[in-house]
Amino acid sequence: MPLANMTVRTQALPLGRKGNALPIGKLPIPVLRTLLARYASRYDSRVVVGAGIGLDAAAIDLGGRYLIAKTDPITFVTDEIGLYALAINANDLATMGAQPLWFLATMLLPAGTTTRVEVSRIFSQIGRACRRLKISLCGGHTEVTAAVTRPVVVGCLLGRCPKNRLITTAGARIGDAVLLTKGIPIEAVSILAREKRGGLQQRYSARFVARCRRYVTDPGVSVVRDAAIAMAVGGVHAMHDPTEGGLSTALYELAEAAQVGVQVDERAIPILPEGRRLCDDLGLNPLGAIASGALIICADPRRAQAMLRRLARAGIAATRIGTIVPAREGVSLVTDGKRVRPVPRFPVDEISRVLAEC
C-alpha cells in the first residue's frame, strides 16, 4: 500500500492480535492510523501532502510548482490491465488538480504461464493508454516470478500542479455541494464482465455482456476530463475517486480526511442500468462495489449548477447527491426525504465475493 495513497477500509480491527487475519483489500483505518502515527515521519519540509487517510497522492514542493506522485496496483483484473494501470493512477492525480506526465510500471508476471505474446500485449495496452493521455512511459521493472499467480501491474505516476490549483480530499468544507459524475459502479461492471465472462454469458445475452465489457471506455473508468472541467468552472474544494470499496468507502475516506460529515440523498445516487442489474442478480450492494469512473466533487454550492451544466455540455452526466455537514452528523443517507441512517460500511469490496467463487 503506497504511503501517498492512503484510501482505506473503515471497519474497526485490532492491530497486533494473534489470529486476526486482515481481510482482502485496503487496510482498515484503525490499523493504518496506528502505522502512520508510528512510521510516517516527514524529514523533508518540501512534502506538502504526505501520508494520510483518504488522500489521493503526495505533493512535493519543487519551487514554482508541486510534483504530484501516485502509486497504485491493479489486482482485480487481468484483461486490459495496462489500460487500467494508467487510468487508475491518472485519476488520482487529476483529483488533485494535477497534469499527469510521467509513468513507471512494475509488472509481476506468473511463472510457467507467461509468454512473450502476453508481455507484449500488456506493453501495448500501456503504450496506447499513454498516447491517449499524453503521458511518457519512462521506466519501471518487469519480472516473471513465482510470487504471483496472475499478472499484477503496479503503476507509479508523476505529474505537476501549479501551486494555486492544488486540491486535496481534506479541502471539503461544511455547506459544500457534493456532486457525482457518471454513476456507479462503473469499474465493478467492467471487471465482472471480464473476469467472470463465462458465467455471465450463461445468464445474460451476448449483447448485454459486451455492453458491460465496454464500461472500461464507455462511460469509462477515467475521470481526468471530469476533473479538468470541474476545475475550469471554479469553486472546487475537494475531489475524490471512489475506487475499491465503492462510493461508501470513498465518502468515509473523504469525511476522515476533511474532518467533516456527509449527508447523501439515496434517491439521487445514479446507479447505471447494467450495474443495478448485475448487483441485484448477484446479491451485491452497488454502494460497496469498486467505482472508478465516477468522481466525487465537493464544491461551492453557488457554482454547483454551472458545474453540472458544463459537464453535461461535455457529455458527462453529473448529479448533486448531497451536502457536506459538520462531522458530528456523520456519513449518512436520507432515504425518504426525512429518515437518516448511516451509509453502510463494507469490510471488503462487494465484487471480491464474486471473484472468489470458483
Side-chain angles (χ1 to χ4, degrees):
M1 172 63 68
L3 289 182
N5 179 27
M6 294 301 165
T7 52
V8 296
R9 297 260 176 235
T10 54
Q11 79 277 18
L13 191 67
L15 178 63
R17 184 182 299 174
K18 293 182 179 179
N20 275 316
L22 293 170
I24 292 173
K26 300 174 183 178
L27 282 179
I29 280 181
V31 174
L32 187 58
R33 187 184 292 117
T34 299
L35 293 172
L36 292 180
R38 289 179 186 174
Y39 303 115
S41 300
R42 296 188 192 181
Y43 297 105
D44 190 332
S45 61
R46 291 173 295 182
V47 178
V48 177
V49 179
I53 293 167
L55 300 177
D56 290 315
I60 301 165
D61 190 345
L62 295 185
R65 292 175 179 265
Y66 293 130
L67 174 71
I68 309 299
K70 163 71 180 180
T71 181
D72 217 350
I74 303 300
T75 56
F76 272 141
V77 67
T78 56
D79 185 36
E80 292 289 354
I81 192 170
L83 184 155
Y84 280 95
L86 255 294
I88 300 311
N89 280 280
N91 283 353
D92 282 338
L93 263 69
T95 63
M96 294 184 69
Q99 178 188 9
L101 292 169
W102 307 288
F103 187 68
L104 297 90
T106 295
M107 300 184 203
L108 303 178
L109 307 167
T113 59
T114 298
T115 65
R116 291 186 180 184
V117 171
E118 173 70 8
V119 178
S120 178
R121 182 180 65 84
I122 297 174
F123 267 87
S124 176
Q125 293 166 3
I126 291 174
R128 290 197 308 272
C130 283
R131 286 193 297 273
R132 184 160 52 248
L133 293 173
K134 295 181 172 58
I135 292 171
S136 298
L137 176 62
C138 52
H141 174 78
T142 306
E143 177 181 341
V144 176
T145 172
V148 298
T149 57
R150 51 190 282 165
V152 173
V153 176
V154 183
C156 175
L157 185 59
L158 306 175
R160 61 189 179 192
C161 178
K163 289 189 171 181
N164 63 351
R165 283 177 56 91
L166 182 67
I167 299 292
T168 76
T169 318
R173 305 176 187 177
I174 294 172
D176 277 352
V178 180
L179 313 182
L180 186 71
T181 68
K182 296 173 184 167
I184 61 169
I186 295 171
E187 190 175 5
V189 171
S190 173
I191 290 173
L192 290 171
R194 293 169 186 279
E195 298 302 303
K196 292 293 182 179
R197 183 177 181 180
L200 295 187
Q201 286 177 331
Q202 296 176 13
R203 302 181 62 168
Y204 306 103
S205 69
R207 184 175 182 178
F208 177 83
V209 175
R211 169 64 187 134
C212 292
R213 285 173 59 84
R214 289 196 300 272
Y215 260 47
V216 67
T217 54
D218 179 18
V221 296
S222 173
V223 297
V224 173
R225 286 185 66 233
D226 312 37
I229 291 167
M231 291 290 291
V233 173
V236 176
H237 297 149
M239 294 187 285
H240 197 34
D241 173 29
T243 55
E244 190 180 339
L247 179 62
S248 167
T249 299
L251 292 172
Y252 279 104
E253 291 170 346
L254 189 152
E256 171 89 10
Q259 294 298 290
V260 296
V262 189
Q263 189 172 92
V264 175
D265 182 350
E266 188 172 22
R267 294 173 298 184
I269 299 172
I271 302 174
L272 299 174
E274 290 80 6
R276 184 179 292 281
R277 184 175 177 187
L278 284 178
C279 287
D280 285 348
D281 290 352
L282 298 175
L284 308 179
N285 188 326
L287 292 180
I290 189 168
S292 293
L295 176 65
I296 300 171
I297 305 168
C298 301
D300 185 326
R302 295 169 296 184
R303 308 302 294 272
Q305 285 304 315
M307 201 170 292
L308 293 172
R309 289 193 298 268
R310 186 78 64 87
L311 287 162
R313 286 201 297 269
I316 299 171
T319 308
R320 178 170 180 171
I321 64 168
T323 303
I324 298 297
V325 296
R328 64 178 179 273
E329 298 186 30
V331 181
S332 61
L333 287 173
V334 177
T335 57
D336 57 11
K338 296 179 182 178
R339 188 162 56 90
V340 175
R341 61 185 176 88
V343 171
R345 300 174 185 247
F346 298 88
V348 296
D349 192 282
E350 284 288 87
I351 70 167
S352 296
R353 296 189 284 112
V354 177
L355 296 179
E357 295 174 359
C358 296

